[in-house]
Amino acid sequence: MDLKTQIRSVPDFPKPGILFYDITTLIGSPSGFAATIDALAAPYVGQGIDAVVGIESRGFILGAPVAERLGAGFIPMRKPGKLPSKAVRAEFALEYGTDALEVHEDAIRPGQRVLIVDDVLATGGTAQAAVSLVKQIGGTLHGLAFLIELPFLNGKAKLPGEQIFSVLQY
Ligand code: AMP
């Protein structure tokens, strides 16, 4: 299935100069959603993934079904102030602005093999923060999986030594 034809490109959102890849058109389709989760999970079947970390909020939509498919747990990595128990925080620069992420400090048991999932790898700032949080709380990072990678922004440079998989590149 051609996933790209089901993703809508929205120019100048959320600000001028950004071409926003809108996955709502893809995941709103039963066959598109199933094919998306198949493609994201496939490289990790049988790889001993214990937990999938999803980055708020589109990483939740994709990461949770990937976790279920892999027989892994799901760990939400959230915007500041949303998690109820004690959390660790990392701040980072976005393609459009700055933000921070938090995760519960006890979300991962020492040595658990973790896969990070998000919709888009752009400048890599978000993913870099997610990697640092997983390592801070004692996870063993297996890799990072994205539906979309924007190679012209070179996000991989912020993730040296990490195993990175993307289904689609623009
Ligand atoms: P970055 O930290 O620059 O790699 O940005 C990644 C995060 O921002 C992801 O969580 C995406 O959801 C979002 N994002 C960045 N650029 C885009 C884009 N062009 N289209 C859709 N989402 C984007």
Side-chain angles (χ1 to χ4, degrees):
M1 177 181 296
D2 185 359
L3 302 180
K4 276 193 177 180
T5 59
Q6 299 187 71
I7 294 172
R8 175 164 55 194
S9 308
V10 183
D12 301 320
F13 182 87
K15 68 177 200 187
I18 302 292
L19 181 62
F20 191 88
Y21 293 100
D22 174 19
I23 65 165
T24 63
T25 43
L26 172 66
I27 62 178
S29 148
S31 58
F33 190 41
T36 298
I37 301 309
D38 284 349
L40 268 172
Y44 305 102
V45 173
Q47 297 292 304
I49 304 296
D50 298 304
V52 172
V53 165
I55 303 175
E56 186 169 3
S57 57
R58 279 161 281 158
F60 292 178
I61 298 167
L62 302 176
V66 167
E68 199 276 342
R69 180 75 55 89
L70 297 176
F74 179 76
I75 297 171
M77 194 168 271
R78 302 211 61 181
K79 307 270 167 67
K82 303 276 191 183
L83 288 168
S85 190
K86 197 164 179 214
V88 289
R89 175 186 299 207
E91 289 179 9
F92 59 95
L94 269 181
E95 190 183 3
Y96 40 80
T98 62
D99 214 336
L101 286 173
E102 294 183 350
V103 70
H104 276 146
E105 63 177 11
D106 61 357
I108 295 172
R109 287 192 302 284
Q112 274 194 309
R113 285 173 77 78
V114 175
L115 174 69
I116 294 171
V117 171
D118 203 2
D119 63 336
V120 176
L121 175 61
T123 67
T126 308
Q128 184 180 39
V131 168
S132 104
L133 288 175
V134 165
K135 292 182 176 175
Q136 270 184 64
I137 63 171
T140 298
L141 187 62
H142 179 87
L144 301 99
F146 301 91
L147 177 58
I148 295 168
E149 180 183 351
L150 308 179
F152 72 96
L153 292 171
N154 201 22
K156 277 183 174 165
K158 290 209 176 77
L159 306 166
E162 307 301 348
Q163 193 211 90
I164 299 162
F165 167 66
S166 56
V167 177
L168 306 170
Q169 298 79 34
Y170 285 87

